[in-house]
Amino acid sequence: MFIYLSKKIAIPNNIHLKCLSWNKHQGFIACGGEDGLLRVLKLETQTDDNRLKGLAAPSNLSMNQTLEGHSGAVQVVTWNEQYEKLTTSDQNGLIIVWMLYKGAWYEEMINNRNKSVVRSMSWNADGQKICIVYEDGAVIVGSVDGNRIWGKELKGSQLAHVAWSPDSKILLFGMANGEVHIYDNQGNFIMKMTISCLTGATGAVSIAGIHWYAGAGGYVEPDCPCLAICFDNGRCQIMRYENDENPVYIDTLMNVISIQWNHCGSVLAVAGSLRASNTDKEFNVVQFYTPFGEHLRTLKVPGKHVSGISWEGGGLRIALAVDSYIYFANIRPDYKWGYCCSTVVYAYTKPERQEYCVVYWDTKNNEKFVKYVKSLMSITTSGDFCILASKADERQPQEDVGSETMNPARYVLILCNSIGTPLDSKYIDIDPLFVTMTKTHVIAASKEAFYLWQYRVAKKLTALEINQVTRTKKGGRERFYHIDSSPSGANDDGPDISKAFTTTRDPICCITATDKTLVVGRESGAIHRYSLPNVALIQKYSSSNRAHHLSLNCNSSRLAIIDITGLLTLLDLEVRSAADEGTGNQAAAGDPSKFERKDVWDMKWANDNPDLFAMMEKTRMYVFRNLDPEEPIQTSGYICNFEDLEIKSVLLDEIMKDPEKPNKDNLINFEIRSLRDSRALIEKVGIEDASQFIEDNPHPRLWHLLAEAALQKLDLKTAEEAFVRCKDYPGIQFVKRLGNLQSEPMKQAEVAAYFGRFEEAESMYLHMDRRDLAINLRIKLGDWFKVLQLLKSGSGDSDDALLEQAYNGIGDYFADRQKWVNAAHYYLMGRNQERLADCYYRLEDYDGLEQLAADLPENHKLLLEIGQMFVTVGMCEQAVKAYLKSNQPKAAVDTCVHLNQWNKAVELARTHNMKEIKSLLSKYASHLLEENKTLEAVELYRKAHHFLDAAKLMFKIADEEANKMSRPLRVKKLYVLAAQLVEDYHEQVKASQQIKAKGKKSEATFALAGLLEEDATSSDNRIIDSAWRGAEAYHFFLLAQRQLHAGYTENAMRTALHLREYEDVIPAVEIYSLLALCSAANRAFGTCSKAFIKLESLESLSPEQRQLYEDLALQIFTKHPPKDIRVMEAHGSSEGAEGKLPTCIVTGLPIQEYQFWMCSVCKHCALEQEICKYKCCPLCHSPVA
């Protein structure tokens, strides 16, 4: 940062000031002094000129009001910024609260304790509460509306200072004896603060100031020290929180009067007086420190006695109360910023985030890119790239840490492009306090050593490939040098990091570099010059002052040095040749060793002229040519770039007021005198004189200016000469082309187009009735809307191909902006099917996509893409249609398989005679079976119309369930499903036979052929022949139990007797147990007895079970004789005349009649009078016809 005094306001009648406070929000300055003096001032800038924004603008007093009410000397003034109130107190203990009403200040409240004098007052961060401390130990906390919240007498202590913590939970009281006590916000004592900065100090001390920064503007870095306590003997400590064990210590070596933090907690100002070393004279100074105790600057202030200091809200000015004057000093902060590739890069802190917010503001397109960086230290830019230096995050993995150290590197350098994309990074161990950058190297320096990194950026590589490049080309890219070593430039063995940490007596204080020279400045004033890229120490220079900023001109022949006091001097690095001197250039140029300018805070050499530079002196910009200044320009901008006789400057102060919305107005271009003069000559005098002037002051930019002026006047000879002088080949070609044109208006139109005045050129073409040229111009510009308008406005038919091109151009315009509906509309008119398909897909308009596929001719290449689009959203049918239309049955089948539409897949494979579907199917089925997903496999086979395989699996499942003794109804359902699959198989065989022998033979022949084919294919006859057997068995098993429960014991017994035929399906023990139960219930003990005999003879029973059956039989048959005459007759008649009679599936009885009902699916029979009660077949549950 740089600081200089800028203004002085005198208080009338020489009344000495006692205190001063600057309102951060509204900008009012209150100053209190002897004899009840209290004034409120306000400095305001009135300017319409964009360049004169910020500090450069003239500032006048817009308010200068004397507030009357105090009789004694006003000792304390403090602002409540949230509620626009001013609180003041005088030596008599009178407190007045003032408020702003219609632009003037009035008394609002008044309070007088009459016992003691107020030593300090402080509002908390949100302006709700004020704490007032009196000398006699009284403390009062009041609210903003004047009510007292609590009061307390601290016995036996003299109070001097008070401060609130940022969260308003803690109060700090500074005592007259130098102690600091910590209380909570209710007035309860917590502890005494340990003041360790006073160790070794002798004599009585008193506190000069306590200021606790409340975090309103964010913090410089996470966990940053923010509580400053300073004593009158110059000792100071800065703490992170009230009981911080290791604060930052500063010994300012001065008598301190007052301290204050700036608006964002990055600079602490300490005001007081300093005794000169050789004399007893004291002079006033303000010292500036970072929160970490580093000294930034010293400002000397005239006058006898400083009594107060206060920062402006934006941190750009500081006010000092000295004797009966208020001095103002301007501050040029060291912003973290840079300029690369027409992009301004700057960083700022936000209160709600710990990281720095880094903004890449592309000034050409007015776009901005934001990234967040933790603990950012600096931004350095060069060419198209920028380097961010920051502290390394401990938690992140670091790939390229030097193996020599093994401990994680503490700092990181990130190489970014102009939109903030990281291209490469390096972790280093030295603290990058100073960083500079050339087109090929990044040089970072700590106080003892510097580090060289030759970065490579491939123009056309992706970020991934860049990473691979950096992995492989490790050698020779990084080197460390200690400042006290003298490298010869011979091949170094690589970085020896251990040397980089040995301390030096003369630390580095600044660096700069160009492509061939590196210059390092040291605190003693010594300057080392090294060659690049092979670092060799060429020369050492000495100067009396410590350099703060170094800058080399474009050919590295001259070095500009700005020292810590703002003095600019020049140093010639290369001795000018004798030939130069002979021509008297040296004399004309003046002696650089004698050149000096004071109060300089920024300077920039021109990129294209070694004798041209611009510099900022206070709020003026000077341009020097051959050490000769042009007249200054009022501005307070930071210089971005000096090229082509034009200086680009950015008003960072204005941008930082609202960093989220950078404004184009804050970027200013200054033309230097020769450019302004040339322009004036061309406009006012004429081209001949101007070309003579430019001949004397040659520069490509001036020749270009002349060429443009000559073109405007169609002076082609001068234009061509000027284009040749500034080596503008396209310009020369353009002039030649103009020379070949005959008509004057045509030439003028071409020139207008060349200068970008397209509307004018177009109207000229139309005026000449050359619509084709106007259209071509618009096509070149890509302005398709205008092209369409021109095409439609013309008389007669316009060119169809051009129209389509225009429609597609407009479609592309909308597609680029993701307005797919509009894009689709224009693509449709432009018949651009590829882009139309893409639009439909993005709009999820699948009907439109389907229609498009239908409209396309067969084998169109787009059909495959459309098919793929349908596949991605699972629309199988449409995808298949598209693939088949483009003659890709294989892709269609793959799609069906991918989307699990196996039936469709098999069907397609069959129709297109594809062999591999069978293998695919079995592969997938076996995969399902391996994972025990048998039911899924069944479903797969069923969908693929492999009914027999499905049926086999289904029977397997049913058998397993039956063996597990599952619920009989579930087992019946499984058997029915299996049998139905067999029926589907029969249908399939029959259908395929019919297709084979179309229209040749009778139905019977089909049936026969079908059966023969089945016979031939069937390896598993049991499944096909007795498909319904399992279903029947469980059907009757359930029926018998239902009949028994319902009390139809006769029918139950008959059904149970019928079950005897199914011993192969249902375990015999189940069947005969049921039969025994039913017959006993029906009192047919003969049948019961036979059932028991069968049960006792079963081999599957264990002896214990058999014994139980025998005991049960003994119990029954001792009571009832085993006879049942009636039943046996009926049972004997179940055989009919033509063999076995069918069984009714409703009642379980044999069907005696000739008329009966038969199910169309399972071919089972039932009595007609019974089935009419049912809607579905009791066995297979298909609807009754």
Side-chain angles (χ1 to χ4, degrees):
M1 63 176 277
F2 181 71
I3 181 163
Y4 59 90
L5 291 170
S6 60
K7 197 177 183 76
K8 167 175 165 186
I9 294 177
I11 302 295
N13 309 330
N14 281 348
I15 300 176
H16 280 226
L17 296 175
K18 293 276 190 192
C19 51
L20 173 80
S21 180
W22 199 330
N23 182 325
K24 305 280 182 288
H25 290 196
Q26 291 89 25
F28 297 110
I29 305 165
C31 52
E34 292 166 354
D35 304 335
L37 168 85
L38 178 59
R39 282 208 164 199
V40 176
L41 316 171
K42 188 172 186 180
L43 282 180
E44 263 187 315
T45 55
Q46 289 98 9
T47 174
D48 303 326
D49 184 357
N50 223 1
R51 301 174 172 198
L52 291 180
K53 277 191 175 169
L55 298 181
S59 53
N60 305 316
L61 281 179
S62 67
M63 173 181 268
N64 183 359
Q65 184 188 353
T66 303
L67 277 54
E68 300 194 353
H70 288 290
S71 50
V74 178
Q75 292 176 333
V76 187
V77 291
T78 177
W79 287 102
N80 180 344
E81 284 150 16
Q82 283 72 13
Y83 291 92
E84 290 197 5
K85 291 183 191 299
L86 169 65
T87 319
T88 57
S89 173
D90 61 24
Q91 69 192 57
N92 306 326
L94 172 69
I95 301 172
I96 304 181
V97 179
W98 309 83
M99 65 177 221
L100 184 63
Y101 177 71
K102 288 187 178 174
W105 292 91
Y106 296 96
E107 267 181 32
E108 185 188 14
M109 291 179 264
I110 206 159
N111 178 11
N112 197 346
R113 227 176 114 243
N114 285 333
K115 280 189 178 171
S116 174
V117 53
V118 176
R119 278 287 163 226
S120 177
M121 297 187 282
S122 174
W123 288 97
N124 68 348
D126 60 9
Q128 295 278 358
K129 297 178 186 172
I130 187 170
C131 182
I132 302 166
V133 296
Y134 289 86
E135 195 171 44
D136 64 358
V139 177
I140 297 173
V141 173
S143 70
V144 68
D145 50 19
N147 295 323
R148 179 185 176 121
I149 299 174
W150 56 267
K152 193 165 185 158
E153 295 268 349
L154 305 183
K155 291 280 187 297
S157 36
Q158 269 193 319
L159 292 172
H161 288 273
V162 62
W164 288 94
S165 65
D167 59 6
S168 307
K169 289 185 178 168
I170 284 170
L171 278 166
L172 301 182
F173 294 130
M175 305 295 173
N177 60 4
E179 288 179 3
V180 179
H181 293 194
I182 304 172
Y183 281 73
D184 69 9
N185 59 4
Q186 297 305 314
N188 304 312
F189 177 73
I190 300 177
M191 61 185 287
K192 263 190 194 180
M193 187 183 286
T194 42
I195 306 288
S196 32
C197 66
L198 290 175
T199 43
T202 52
V205 290
S206 68
I207 300 172
I210 303 178
H211 191 190
W212 200 332
Y213 167 59
Y219 290 92
V220 186
E221 61 176 74
D223 205 25
C224 173
C226 55
L227 166 56
I229 298 171
C230 196
F231 294 87
D232 60 351
N233 63 358
R235 301 282 182 98
C236 183
Q237 71 181 31
I238 310 179
M239 309 162 78
R240 288 165 183 81
Y241 42 89
E242 70 280 0
N243 44 15
D244 189 355
E245 309 240 320
N246 47 354
V248 174
Y249 302 125
I250 305 172
D251 190 353
T252 63
L253 301 171
M254 52 190 260
N255 292 332
V256 182
I257 305 292
S258 176
I259 63 166
Q260 198 178 27
W261 284 110
N262 70 344
H263 66 301
C264 62
S266 60
V267 182
L268 178 68
V270 181
S273 57
L274 196 60
R275 176 162 283 143
S277 47
N278 44 8
T279 62
D280 286 349
K281 247 174 77 180
E282 284 198 353
F283 53 89
N284 297 323
V285 289
V286 184
Q287 305 268 26
F288 295 88
Y289 295 91
T290 68
F292 305 99
E294 294 156 30
H295 178 253
L296 291 171
R297 287 278 164 159
T298 303
L299 172 71
K300 287 188 182 175
V301 186
K304 290 190 177 129
H305 177 70
V306 177
S307 55
I309 181 173
S310 191
W311 286 85
E312 184 200 20
L316 298 177
R317 286 191 287 192
I318 197 162
L320 300 161
V322 184
D323 305 333
S324 60
Y325 297 96
I326 302 175
Y327 285 93
F328 291 93
N330 285 357
I331 287 160
R332 307 312 296 131
D334 292 327
Y335 293 113
K336 293 177 171 55
W337 80 288
Y339 179 82
C340 60
C341 188
S342 76
T343 300
V344 177
V345 189
Y346 59 91
Y348 66 98
T349 51
K350 287 183 174 181
E352 69 272 14
R353 286 192 77 133
Q354 289 195 328
E355 307 99 324
Y356 266 90
C357 178
V358 182
V359 178
Y360 292 80
W361 174 38
D362 178 354
T363 56
K364 260 190 191 154
N365 311 328
N366 206 14
E367 289 182 316
K368 65 185 200 18
F369 307 89
V370 178
K371 65 185 273 173
Y372 290 94
V373 182
K374 261 198 175 159
S375 307
L376 179 73
M377 297 169 71
S378 67
I379 294 176
T380 312
T381 50
S382 166
D384 297 348
F385 303 105
C386 111
I387 286 279
L388 305 179
S390 69
K391 294 189 179 171
D393 194 348
E394 283 84 28
R395 295 186 295 275
Q396 279 185 344
Q398 300 171 7
E399 305 93 353
D400 54 355
V401 178
S403 53
E404 297 85 354
T405 53
M406 285 320 288
N407 56 341
R410 294 177 308 160
Y411 305 96
V412 60
L413 300 175
I414 307 165
L415 177 71
C416 299
N417 63 10
S418 63
I419 58 168
T421 312
L423 303 176
D424 201 352
S425 64
K426 281 278 174 268
Y427 285 90
I428 56 172
D429 268 331
I430 67 166
D431 188 350
L433 297 173
F434 316 101
V435 185
T436 187
M437 183 178 182
T438 70
K439 288 193 187 74
T440 50
H441 288 78
V442 172
I443 301 112
S446 66
K447 290 190 169 171
E448 301 86 20
F450 58 93
Y451 154 90
L452 202 75
W453 165 30
Q454 181 182 350
Y455 65 90
R456 286 195 178 91
V457 178
K459 280 285 185 228
K460 294 192 173 78
L461 292 186
T462 62
L464 192 78
E465 290 166 315
I466 287 173
N467 283 340
Q468 283 157 357
V469 171
T470 57
R471 296 280 168 282
T472 49
K473 301 181 180 172
K474 264 286 182 46
R477 292 199 55 195
E478 297 177 76
R479 283 166 293 173
F480 284 92
Y481 296 95
H482 194 273
I483 188 63
D484 292 333
S485 68
S486 301
S488 61
N491 241 357
D492 300 303
D493 301 335
D496 181 7
I497 298 181
S498 54
K499 288 180 190 162
F501 294 109
T502 49
T503 52
T504 173
R505 285 188 173 172
D506 187 4
I508 297 174
C509 63
C510 49
I511 60 173
T512 187
T514 56
D515 292 342
K516 54 184 186 178
T517 309
L518 165 68
V519 176
V520 179
R522 303 180 72 170
E523 287 190 1
S524 64
I527 290 172
H528 292 203
R529 174 170 154 226
Y530 300 86
S531 66
L532 283 181
N534 54 342
V535 180
L537 181 61
I538 299 174
Q539 204 169 350
K540 292 185 181 178
Y541 305 89
S542 62
S543 78
S544 51
N545 292 350
R546 169 182 154 187
H548 177 67
H549 174 82
L550 300 175
S551 181
L552 279 162
N553 64 355
C554 61
N555 64 4
S556 310
S557 62
R558 197 170 271 180
L559 175 72
I561 307 164
I562 302 177
D563 74 5
I564 196 84
T565 61
L567 183 74
L568 170 68
T569 49
L570 297 178
L571 177 66
D572 267 339
L573 299 185
E574 290 174 9
V575 179
R576 303 270 166 133
S577 64
D580 279 355
E581 286 180 23
T583 58
N585 266 12
Q586 193 70 10
D591 188 357
S593 59
K594 302 254 183 356
F595 177 86
E596 55 179 54
R597 300 291 295 204
K598 292 195 171 89
D599 287 332
V600 178
W601 52 270
D602 191 15
M603 73 86 57
K604 195 66 132 217
W605 289 95
N607 295 348
D608 43 19
N609 183 341
D611 289 328
L612 205 56
F613 68 89
M615 53 153 250
M616 296 299 304
E617 186 178 292
K618 295 191 173 173
T619 52
R620 288 186 296 281
M621 180 194 287
Y622 287 90
V623 177
F624 284 82
R625 180 192 290 276
N626 296 338
L627 309 187
D628 214 15
E630 296 182 4
E631 66 278 2
I633 304 162
Q634 280 290 112
T635 177
S636 61
Y638 287 72
I639 304 169
C640 297
N641 198 21
F642 187 0
E643 196 171 21
D644 274 346
L645 310 182
E646 204 167 14
I647 300 165
K648 204 178 232 88
S649 163
V650 58
L651 298 173
L652 280 175
D653 303 332
E654 299 303 308
I655 287 178
M656 290 301 178
K657 287 178 184 170
D658 187 4
E660 290 180 35
K661 301 192 191 78
N663 184 343
K664 271 282 192 53
D665 293 348
N666 296 329
L667 201 73
I668 306 174
N669 286 340
F670 299 102
E671 295 184 341
I672 77 162
R673 191 167 60 199
S674 58
L675 182 56
R676 293 198 303 269
D677 291 355
S678 306
R679 187 164 278 142
L681 276 172
I682 289 168
E683 281 170 13
K684 298 199 175 75
V685 182
I687 286 179
E688 285 73 30
D689 296 5
S691 70
Q692 189 53 50
F693 173 76
I694 293 169
E695 193 85 51
D696 300 340
N697 300 288
H699 191 280
R701 173 73 191 269
L702 300 180
W703 285 117
H704 215 278
L705 194 68
L706 182 67
E708 288 181 0
L711 270 183
Q712 298 279 24
K713 298 201 164 76
L714 294 182
D715 176 353
L716 299 188
K717 185 169 167 292
T718 314
E720 188 171 5
E721 253 177 51
F723 275 133
V724 168
R725 285 297 194 85
C726 62
K727 297 177 184 158
D728 182 347
Y729 185 66
I732 299 168
Q733 295 293 89
F734 176 67
V735 173
K736 286 221 169 90
R737 205 172 82 235
L738 275 186
N740 296 335
L741 293 174
Q742 300 308 316
S743 85
E744 194 80 358
M746 193 72 122
K747 287 182 182 176
Q748 284 171 346
E750 286 287 320
V751 170
Y754 180 79
F755 287 121
R757 302 198 302 273
F758 303 116
E759 302 292 330
E760 196 179 311
E762 183 190 319
S763 64
M764 284 179 179
Y765 285 136
L766 291 175
H767 193 65
M768 289 185 277
D769 205 15
R770 289 299 302 269
R771 194 160 58 98
D772 56 329
L773 292 176
I775 288 171
N776 281 345
L777 172 69
R778 288 297 173 186
I779 289 175
K780 272 185 200 160
L781 294 174
D783 185 351
W784 294 103
F785 290 98
K786 263 288 167 45
V787 172
L788 189 61
Q789 191 184 327
L790 286 167
L791 284 170
K792 286 186 172 172
S793 68
S795 57
D797 296 332
S798 49
D799 185 348
D800 285 355
L802 260 180
L803 254 181
E804 281 190 12
Q805 198 186 347
Y807 283 133
N808 285 329
I810 295 175
D812 291 342
Y813 170 86
F814 283 121
D816 289 344
R817 285 151 186 77
Q818 315 229 337
K819 294 183 174 165
W820 303 111
V821 182
N822 309 33
H825 171 67
Y826 281 102
Y827 285 140
L828 193 58
M829 293 200 285
R831 298 191 201 148
N832 188 340
Q833 288 138 334
E834 282 88 348
R835 299 303 305 264
L836 186 58
D838 186 39
C839 286
Y840 282 150
Y841 181 57
R842 288 173 187 276
L843 288 168
E844 299 179 21
D845 177 2
Y846 301 116
D847 299 338
L849 204 52
E850 201 175 343
Q851 186 58 48
L852 181 63
D855 295 344
L856 286 171
E858 286 196 2
N859 290 341
H860 193 288
K861 65 176 194 301
L862 185 59
L863 284 165
L864 286 175
E865 283 179 36
I866 293 179
Q868 189 51 46
M869 287 173 186
F870 281 129
V871 172
T872 55
V873 290
M875 296 173 77
C876 183
E877 200 178 318
Q878 290 86 340
V880 167
K881 271 188 203 162
Y883 283 135
L884 291 180
K885 197 168 179 184
S886 64
N887 208 0
Q888 295 276 350
K890 170 97 177 65
V893 172
D894 290 346
T895 297
C896 294
V897 170
H898 174 60
L899 296 174
N900 281 333
Q901 303 291 326
W902 289 90
N903 44 356
K904 189 101 178 146
V906 175
E907 199 182 301
L908 285 168
R910 266 209 212 100
T911 43
H912 291 90
N913 292 329
M914 291 167 78
K915 302 281 182 287
E916 63 265 26
I917 189 70
K918 188 96 181 179
S919 62
L920 254 178
L921 199 59
S922 53
K923 203 188 279 176
Y924 186 47
S926 59
H927 162 72
L928 287 172
L929 291 170
E930 270 171 28
E931 293 190 353
N932 265 343
K933 295 181 175 171
T934 322
L935 283 170
E936 279 92 331
V938 171
E939 181 70 2
L940 172 69
Y941 278 133
R942 212 191 90 207
K943 276 190 175 171
H945 293 240
H946 285 228
F947 296 118
L948 197 57
D949 296 325
K952 284 179 191 171
L953 284 177
M954 207 64 230
F955 277 121
K956 194 175 149 205
I957 295 173
D959 293 344
E960 279 172 7
E961 288 292 314
N963 293 341
K964 281 193 215 157
M965 306 292 279
S966 292
R967 286 169 51 222
L969 183 62
R970 174 180 168 79
V971 180
K972 176 192 161 185
K973 284 178 182 171
L974 292 168
Y975 275 122
V976 168
L977 186 53
Q980 288 212 343
L981 287 166
V982 174
E983 291 299 327
D984 289 342
Y985 168 68
H986 288 315
E987 290 293 323
Q988 192 185 21
V989 171
K990 213 151 91 187
S992 70
Q993 282 305 321
Q994 274 176 351
I995 292 163
K996 275 183 190 167
K998 208 108 199 221
K1000 290 180 193 167
K1001 302 162 193 163
S1002 65
E1003 284 282 321
T1005 335
F1006 290 147
L1008 189 61
L1011 289 170
L1012 285 169
E1013 183 176 295
E1014 276 187 22
D1015 233 27
T1017 57
S1018 171
S1019 56
D1020 205 336
N1021 283 342
R1022 179 185 88 85
I1023 287 182
I1024 291 173
D1025 297 346
S1026 51
W1028 289 97
R1029 194 167 165 69
E1032 285 166 23
Y1034 274 93
H1035 175 69
F1036 289 125
F1037 184 56
L1038 288 161
L1039 182 61
Q1041 303 200 41
R1042 285 202 192 102
Q1043 289 169 331
L1044 182 61
H1045 276 279
Y1048 303 121
T1049 51
E1050 171 81 18
N1051 288 6
M1053 187 178 92
R1054 294 221 173 178
T1055 309
L1057 281 167
H1058 182 56
L1059 269 175
R1060 288 175 306 174
E1061 293 168 25
Y1062 299 104
E1063 286 186 28
D1064 58 332
V1065 182
I1066 298 176
V1069 64
E1070 295 278 334
I1071 295 172
Y1072 288 105
S1073 298
L1074 181 58
L1075 180 56
L1077 189 60
C1078 292
S1079 48
N1082 196 26
R1083 310 195 74 70
F1085 292 109
T1087 311
C1088 186
S1089 159
K1090 283 177 192 161
F1092 267 108
I1093 290 165
K1094 181 77 176 170
L1095 278 169
E1096 287 165 19
S1097 68
L1098 285 175
E1099 289 171 5
S1100 60
L1101 293 179
S1102 62
E1104 292 86 14
Q1105 285 170 315
R1106 193 171 290 126
Q1107 186 59 47
L1108 287 169
Y1109 280 120
E1110 285 171 8
D1111 295 350
L1112 186 56
L1114 198 59
Q1115 275 181 19
I1116 295 171
F1117 298 121
T1118 45
K1119 288 184 187 171
H1120 308 285
K1123 288 177 188 171
D1124 54 343
I1125 300 109
R1126 185 164 55 81
V1127 175
M1128 287 318 286
E1129 294 162 14
H1131 190 64
S1133 63
S1134 74
E1135 299 290 322
E1138 292 94 15
K1140 204 171 161 209
L1141 288 174
T1143 310
C1144 172
I1145 53 175
V1146 180
T1147 59
L1149 302 174
I1151 300 174
Q1152 306 283 3
E1153 292 133 21
Y1154 287 104
Q1155 282 274 314
F1156 54 79
W1157 173 86
M1158 183 189 255
C1159 175
S1160 61
V1161 178
C1162 62
K1163 310 289 185 284
H1164 285 74
C1165 310
L1167 295 163
E1168 287 206 333
Q1169 69 268 28
E1170 296 291 342
I1171 197 72
C1172 65
K1173 302 170 191 169
Y1174 288 87
K1175 282 186 181 169
C1176 295
C1177 167
L1179 180 65
C1180 69
H1181 292 269
S1182 52
V1184 172

